[in-house]
Amino acid sequence: MAAQFGRRLRKGATTTAVAAVAVAALSASQAPGVAPAATGGDAQASGSTPPSGSSATGNSPYFTDLPPLNSPNKPGASPHLPAVGPAEAGIPATVLAAYKQAEQAVAASDPGCRVPWQLLAAIGKVESGQARGGRVDANGTTFSPILGPVLNGVGFANISDTDNGAYDGDRTHDRAVGPMQFIPSTWATWGQDANSDGRKDPNNIYDAALAAAKYLCAGSRDLSVKEDLDKAILSYNRSREYLRTVLSWFEYYKRGTHQVPDGTGVLPTEPSGSGSTGAGTTPAAPGATPGPSPSPTTPTAPTTPGGPTGPAPTPSNPGTGPSPDPSTPTTPPPTPTPPPAATVFGLENAGGGRPSATAGEDFAELPKVRAKSRSGQSVVGADLAFEIVGGTDARFAGNRTTAVVRTGAGGVAVAPALKAGETTGDFTIRVTVVGRALPRLDYAATVTPRQADALARTGDKELTSAPSSEFADQVEVKATFKDEAASGVAVTATMVTAADDPAENTLGPYFKDAEGKPVRTLTELTTGADGLLVLPKIFSDERSGTFLLRLTTEGGATLTIELKVAAPEAPPA
């Protein structure tokens, strides 16, 4: 379906001028990645033709609002250019986290695609107004499904049901679903479970953002290349006006943005398509009866002391009505109550030591943060963002690196459940106030290696070899911690000179490295899921005698094993 972008341009002279200047400015500035506006209707930019075939959204309607503009201050000033507006530039915290997580996931799985999170934000803005201004729960799922209009061929594409109503509730026709507006047939192929809850849910912003990122990268695209970027966007909705709208927001978000609390994002107002309810909207429930429209009234001429033919009063400010009578008392408008976050002056540690956990385990102690006002009072109801910073794979629930928590009693917010990954070492848990440029509060955290407090051989067979040969049996050991199998424990194996001397023995039995050269210390050994470890084969040189192999682990477990190399038998007399 061809999107009716012109509908926005026909709403009035002022709106027409603003939107026209927006497209012209983007073209004139030759901002990277912005297609110039074609002339003569919907001519193809750069001579390219949109690809044929299906699209992610079924070419459903979308929101055509453009980014805010800055006006010239005086005649002869430079043309209007896109500018970062404080309200429009704000992206709800959970939605922003989902876009950034999707960018990171694709950077790891498909680094050649180079999908930027700002492109996902631009599409999310156009498709659903950033999930209806960030109306999502703590796991990123919208409070109610976001559904596009029925694709029944009446004003839109005609797409028969493909999911038996599983996603869109319609068993006759399909509808675009979720904050990124996938039609069910596309979701069946590209759906993702990005928040690790066991479901591929198009109404979950984490799942939908990752699915959109992978969809845009299809066909080995490199989105840093203009041609591939245009093709990717057009594959989402095959309209040149859609392309220009998305690129406008893409450039806008690249110039700067910030996170705002969930549910407080700016809602779009301009749907494409004639007579639609708008992309990403949920129509009224069946059977609902709209109320009557108010009847227009014709204002009557004011009565003046001079009678009907007397002179009419002249307002002091033309166009705004008569001036108020200074003798009439007026009630001042109520002072709006600022949101809790606006009253936060600083953050402080509310207790707890340094967060620490063993690799693969949950952090038992989590940061507690108190939000306080300028006078030092606790601020309840302020949204605080917790972010994991540094080279670690520790994650909040749902495999997330960021989470927003609202302060409760005493103005205190506790970080969400946090689990250590396999990367050991230090990292930072950073806390900021959502939507405010206040000093942050950093917590140093540590992931320690997995530990074992005991090591034991699984068998008791004597380990022997002839000189210049190899030991027939390999060494197998089991690591335990508090009598439970200890998996993922790092083990060091060293040929030592004596039981009371851990120095490496440069003579006698040895291991082999990847090139087949003798080595007598191995450090990259790790126990398996059952705590078991089988050492590589051991070889002997020409020397005979009894030698010692020592195994050590994090946590202090030590095991010393005898290796015997039998002397060659003397020839018969």
Side-chain angles (χ1 to χ4, degrees):
M1 182 198 75
Q4 302 300 315
F5 186 82
R7 180 179 177 188
R8 183 178 196 267
L9 307 184
R10 292 194 295 269
K11 293 195 66 128
T14 302
T15 307
T16 302
V18 171
V21 169
V23 175
L26 288 169
S27 303
S29 65
Q30 297 182 349
V34 178
T39 60
D42 194 22
Q44 306 305 319
S46 303
S48 61
T49 302
S52 60
S54 61
S55 65
T57 67
N59 295 330
S60 290
Y62 55 92
F63 289 111
T64 61
D65 301 51
L66 290 176
L69 306 174
N70 271 343
S71 300
N73 294 322
K74 57 184 178 180
S78 60
H80 300 283
L81 292 175
V84 175
E88 284 285 6
I91 299 178
T94 298
V95 178
L96 181 59
Y99 295 149
K100 291 185 176 181
Q101 179 175 301
E103 177 192 59
Q104 294 171 0
V106 174
S109 63
D110 186 7
C113 176
R114 298 178 176 86
V115 59
W117 67 260
Q118 292 92 339
L119 176 60
L120 301 176
I123 291 175
K125 176 68 174 179
V126 168
E127 294 295 346
S128 69
Q130 311 298 17
R132 294 199 195 105
R135 286 163 175 79
V136 297
D137 62 21
N139 293 320
T141 303
T142 57
F143 290 121
S144 60
I146 299 178
L147 299 175
V150 178
L151 300 177
N152 57 5
V154 181
F156 311 117
N158 189 350
I159 303 179
S160 299
D161 175 61
T162 60
D163 66 332
N164 199 29
Y167 294 119
D168 55 16
D170 191 325
R171 297 188 179 185
T172 304
H173 293 91
D174 273 346
R175 303 172 70 173
V177 182
M180 304 304 278
Q181 288 287 281
F182 280 96
I183 55 174
S185 58
T186 307
W187 184 258
T189 301
W190 294 94
Q192 303 292 318
D193 178 17
N195 64 346
S196 302
D197 64 354
R199 297 180 61 217
K200 297 179 180 179
D201 184 359
N203 279 300
N204 180 277
I205 186 59
Y206 286 98
D207 294 358
L210 182 57
K214 288 181 175 290
Y215 181 89
L216 293 167
C217 291
S220 302
R221 294 189 185 110
D222 179 353
L223 301 187
S224 67
V225 176
K226 179 66 169 64
E227 182 180 1
D228 282 0
L229 176 65
D230 286 0
K231 287 180 179 179
I233 297 172
L234 286 169
S235 75
Y236 217 89
N237 190 311
R238 300 187 184 281
S239 159
R240 280 284 162 181
E241 305 299 353
Y242 179 86
L243 172 65
R244 285 191 280 271
T245 306
V246 170
L247 287 175
S248 296
W249 283 107
F250 180 36
E251 287 301 312
Y252 180 69
Y253 286 135
K254 287 198 298 183
R255 291 168 186 253
T257 187
H258 58 275
Q259 67 181 17
V260 298
D262 289 344
T264 65
V266 175
L267 295 178
T269 60
E270 299 292 342
S272 70
S274 177
S276 74
T277 57
T281 64
T282 303
T289 303
S293 300
S295 300
T297 58
T298 303
T300 58
T303 301
T304 66
T309 59
T314 302
S316 60
N317 188 6
T320 62
S323 300
D325 185 347
S327 64
T328 303
T330 59
T331 302
T335 302
T337 302
T343 65
V344 177
F345 182 70
L347 302 174
E348 66 181 13
N349 189 339
R354 180 182 179 123
S356 179
T358 301
E361 302 295 329
D362 293 328
F363 281 77
E365 192 166 26
L366 297 169
K368 297 180 181 179
V369 184
R370 176 176 173 260
K372 59 182 180 179
S373 65
R374 184 180 294 272
S375 63
Q377 299 298 311
S378 298
V379 179
V380 178
D383 288 326
L384 306 186
F386 290 78
E387 180 182 7
I388 297 171
V389 180
T392 180
D393 52 357
R395 293 291 184 266
F396 294 122
N399 197 34
R400 298 161 63 181
T401 58
T402 60
V404 176
V405 180
R406 184 160 292 176
T407 57
V412 174
V414 182
L418 179 63
K419 186 171 185 177
E422 296 302 322
T423 302
T424 60
D426 298 334
F427 67 98
T428 298
I429 302 174
R430 178 162 296 162
V431 189
T432 55
V433 182
V434 174
R436 297 289 307 282
L438 294 173
R440 67 196 185 209
L441 184 61
D442 285 350
Y443 288 82
T446 302
V447 177
T448 59
R450 295 173 184 260
Q451 297 183 0
D453 54 17
L455 272 175
R457 282 190 65 194
T458 58
D460 56 3
K461 185 176 181 181
E462 188 176 65
L463 301 170
T464 61
S465 170
S468 301
S469 183
E470 67 180 50
F471 286 79
D473 300 301
Q474 289 182 259
V475 177
E476 182 182 67
V477 297
K478 183 173 183 177
T480 56
F481 184 71
K482 296 181 180 179
D483 297 326
E484 297 290 337
S487 63
V489 175
V491 179
T492 299
T494 305
M495 302 296 177
V496 296
T497 56
D500 56 354
D501 184 358
E504 181 182 275
N505 192 348
T506 58
L507 305 174
Y510 58 89
F511 302 104
K512 288 184 179 180
D513 63 14
E515 297 177 355
K517 296 179 181 180
V519 292
R520 291 182 168 85
T521 298
L522 295 179
T523 56
E524 297 183 1
L525 303 173
T526 306
T527 61
D530 49 7
L532 294 176
L533 170 65
V534 177
L535 270 61
K537 282 189 175 183
I538 302 174
F539 301 86
S540 59
D541 60 12
E542 69 280 3
R543 295 168 181 79
S544 60
T546 299
F547 301 88
L548 299 178
L549 167 64
R550 173 168 292 174
L551 306 179
T552 57
T553 72
E554 290 285 344
T558 302
L559 176 64
T560 302
I561 300 172
E562 285 190 351
L563 304 174
K564 294 184 177 180
V565 180
E569 295 182 2

